[in-house]
Amino acid sequence: MNSKICGFLVILLIISVIPTVDAQISFGEKASQKSVEIVINSFGDVHVKHVVNPANLPKQIELIYGTASNITVTDEEGEEKQFSVIGDNTGLLIFPSQNRSIVEYDLEHAITQIDNVWTWSFRYLETTSFILPEEADLIFANERPVYLDEKKGITCHGCQMILEYSLDEPKIYQNIKWEDKEFLVEIRTYTKINDFTFDQPTKSITFDVSEKNRFVTTIIPLELLWGPYAVFLDDEKIYFHEYINNGTHVWLNIRPETTGEVTIIGTTVVPEFSILAPLAIGFLVIVIAPLIRKVNLH
């Protein structure tokens, strides 16, 4: 009888000290995490790795939202450690350890693919690193483009974002000839591009997009068309991202909400660049040369 009363009192004590946050059960203080890494492969499979700092008391770690499976907890030497699952695989209780704990699991149904775009509505308020598939060199975080180039991924601090990317996105090349020069404009998109036109007098590039809500990235040689830029869909000015100006090319990204004609307007256009050089030479001959002659005479 006494043991039953004692057990009841222990349970009552535990319940009285358990705080509730967002209807989630908590059995200990929040764990301090050294790092969180997410690896995504070409098929949309997700593997998560948490590195948890040592602690003298049991600590709770929240798992990233999704269907977690194949959960393991080891130390830095790879030795398995005891842990308890909280709720429906929403968190873990990690027992005290003098070494860092490595928590790993697969996350199912986290990413969905719609119209060739992989999408993840992600929220995890810890600094998180994403390792993307090698084929994904251009990704979007809350619709802001990020060009990975040779980098493997990105790091998100206090992360809440819509992650979107495509694999092997089609590239369309348009060769523009102007006088004795040729310029290559590249367009990256899954939508069809029709009626591409470069108009030198209006300093503009135009083309038709046949699908709505598709990312369209246009890579323009700066010698052909220099900014600042304005972008229109039919006659309406639309929002765009300008990024990756490497001195020779600029990347402009849009996501038209409807189909129609896209017009990119610049402020300086070929051959205005070539005109500047003769003007500069003329200025030197007419203005600077007489001054130099006077200085030499004195």
Side-chain angles (χ1 to χ4, degrees), residues 230-241:
V231 181
F232 294 82
L233 180 60
D234 293 328
D235 295 326
E236 183 179 351
K237 194 172 185 179
I238 62 173
Y239 183 75
F240 70 97
H241 289 284

Side-chain angles (χ1 to χ4, degrees), residues 76-133:
E76 294 176 290
E77 303 299 325
E79 295 292 330
E80 292 188 2
K81 298 183 60 177
Q82 289 185 335
F83 65 93
S84 295
V85 176
I86 300 172
D88 188 16
N89 283 6
T90 59
L92 299 180
L93 186 67
I94 302 176
F95 293 103
S97 174
Q98 298 301 314
N99 300 313
R100 290 193 179 108
S101 301
I102 313 297
V103 178
E104 296 189 68
Y105 52 94
D106 297 321
L107 202 59
E108 302 173 13
H109 313 303
I111 303 180
T112 57
Q113 187 182 29
I114 304 173
D115 295 331
N116 298 305
V117 178
W118 291 95
T119 304
W120 190 355
S121 180
F122 183 87
R123 182 181 184 275
Y124 195 73
L125 301 182
E126 297 281 350
T127 298
T128 305
S129 298
F130 292 82
I131 308 300
L132 282 300

Side-chain angles (χ1 to χ4, degrees), residues 19-152:
T20 57
V21 180
D22 297 332
Q24 292 184 0
I25 300 174
S26 176
F27 290 96
E29 292 184 358
K30 183 179 178 181
S32 169
Q33 301 190 54
K34 179 179 182 292
S35 64
V36 182
E37 181 183 85
I38 296 175
V39 179
I40 307 172
N41 67 16
S42 302
F43 303 101
D45 300 324
V46 177
H47 185 76
V48 184
K49 178 180 178 180
H50 303 256
V51 178
V52 182
N53 290 320
N56 294 324
L57 295 172
K59 297 291 182 179
Q60 179 176 328
I61 176 174
E62 179 185 353
L63 303 185
I64 293 172
Y65 181 79
T67 304
S69 61
N70 304 321
I71 300 173
T72 63
V73 179
T74 63
D75 60 18
E76 294 176 290
E77 303 299 325
E79 295 292 330
E80 292 188 2
K81 298 183 60 177
Q82 289 185 335
F83 65 93
S84 295
V85 176
I86 300 172
D88 188 16
N89 283 6
T90 59
L92 299 180
L93 186 67
I94 302 176
F95 293 103
S97 174
Q98 298 301 314
N99 300 313
R100 290 193 179 108
S101 301
I102 313 297
V103 178
E104 296 189 68
Y105 52 94
D106 297 321
L107 202 59
E108 302 173 13
H109 313 303
I111 303 180
T112 57
Q113 187 182 29
I114 304 173
D115 295 331
N116 298 305
V117 178
W118 291 95
T119 304
W120 190 355
S121 180
F122 183 87
R123 182 181 184 275
Y124 195 73
L125 301 182
E126 297 281 350
T127 298
T128 305
S129 298
F130 292 82
I131 308 300
L132 282 300
E134 292 183 2
E135 303 94 326
D137 63 342
L138 177 63
I139 67 172
F140 296 88
N142 295 331
E143 296 196 352
R144 295 184 64 87
V146 180
Y147 183 55
L148 298 180
D149 196 11
E150 300 298 324
K151 302 179 182 66
K152 295 181 179 180

Side-chain angles (χ1 to χ4, degrees), residues 170-187:
K171 300 177 182 179
I172 303 165
Y173 297 96
Q174 298 288 342
N175 191 34
I176 297 173
K177 294 184 179 181
W178 181 258
E179 297 180 349
D180 59 340
K181 293 186 177 181
E182 293 188 6
F183 303 94
L184 193 66
V185 176
E186 178 182 334
I187 301 177

